[in-house]
Structure formats: structure tokens, C-alpha cells
Amino acid sequence: MKVVTVKDMQTGPGPEDWFTGTVWRDAAPVGASPDVAVNRVLFEPGARTHWHTHPEGQILYIITGTCRAAREGEPPVEVEAGGVVYFAPDEKHWHGATPETYMVHMAINIATTTDGGTDWLEPVTDEEYGSRLR
Ligand code: MN
């Protein structure tokens, strides 16, 4: 058994070159769990990631609020707390809060052959973020 207590979590604001708007992350130290990287992420209303990919895919477990997310070429969808979103390896996508409320998700990045890191791309425009929902 291995325990990572809250005092060992790496908490801080999300970097501006990864996110639009205000985001807070609690990251478990790299290697804290085998084969996955675990982060709790809070997005203020309107905040979202930039476009990005994960080399081994990602699972989002929505804890609070409603997640708005999209993959390239498709309009956004909304997923309420309790729902789960899965992104395949190298699937270009973004995720964040809705304009109306903040959102918290657990981000579980598969990390069997990598450190579970993310390849960050361009910001999600207001038009992409606010385009008609599917
Ligand atoms: Mn992602």
C-alpha cells in the first residue's frame, strides 16, 4: 500500500499556456500510482483546457458541476457530475466548465509506457467553446 496525503499533493494554478480562464490543479506526484497519473482539476465558469492529446488516453470522472468537452471535428457535449468521459490515445480534444458554473473532474491519464504527460496545442476559441451543443 502507498498513501499520498493531501500535504504531498502538488497544488497550484493551471499554466496559461495550457488553459483559458482560471483553473486549479491538485496533482499526485509522478509515480505515486503505477501506470496512471492522477489529477483533480477545478475549472471556474468559462475556463477550459487548450486543445491537446494524451499519448495513452485519458479518463475524466466528473465530480462537481457539468463538464463541456469536444473532440476535433465535432461540436461540444455536456456531461454532468457522476459521468465519465474517455479519450483514446492521441485523440485531439478539450474539456472544461460550462459558462454557468464551475466544474471539478478527476483526470486519470494512462501512463504505462510514458509519464502520462499531455501534448498541449492551441487555445480553444470562444467560437469553438460556445458553438452549438450536440
Ligand atoms: Mn484531456
Side-chain angles (χ1 to χ4, degrees), residues 46-69:
R48 67 272 190 179
T49 68
H50 289 187
W51 288 100
H52 62 279
T53 62
H54 306 285
E56 297 184 70
Q58 180 183 53
I59 299 149
L60 302 180
Y61 192 124
I62 316 307
I63 304 295
T64 302
T66 300
C67 178
R68 183 177 289 190

Side-chain angles (χ1 to χ4, degrees), residues 45-118:
R48 67 272 190 179
T49 68
H50 289 187
W51 288 100
H52 62 279
T53 62
H54 306 285
E56 297 184 70
Q58 180 183 53
I59 299 149
L60 302 180
Y61 192 124
I62 316 307
I63 304 295
T64 302
T66 300
C67 178
R68 183 177 289 190
R71 66 175 179 175
E72 189 173 37
E74 295 187 1
V77 297
E78 292 190 345
V79 182
E80 294 181 357
V84 169
V85 183
Y86 173 71
F87 298 105
D90 295 322
E91 184 173 54
K92 185 176 175 180
H93 69 278
W94 59 266
H95 36 97
T98 64
E100 293 81 23
T101 189
Y102 69 88
M103 185 274 288
V104 179
H105 68 46
M106 296 303 305
I108 301 161
N109 292 13
I110 302 158
T112 57
T113 61
T114 68
D115 65 2
T118 299

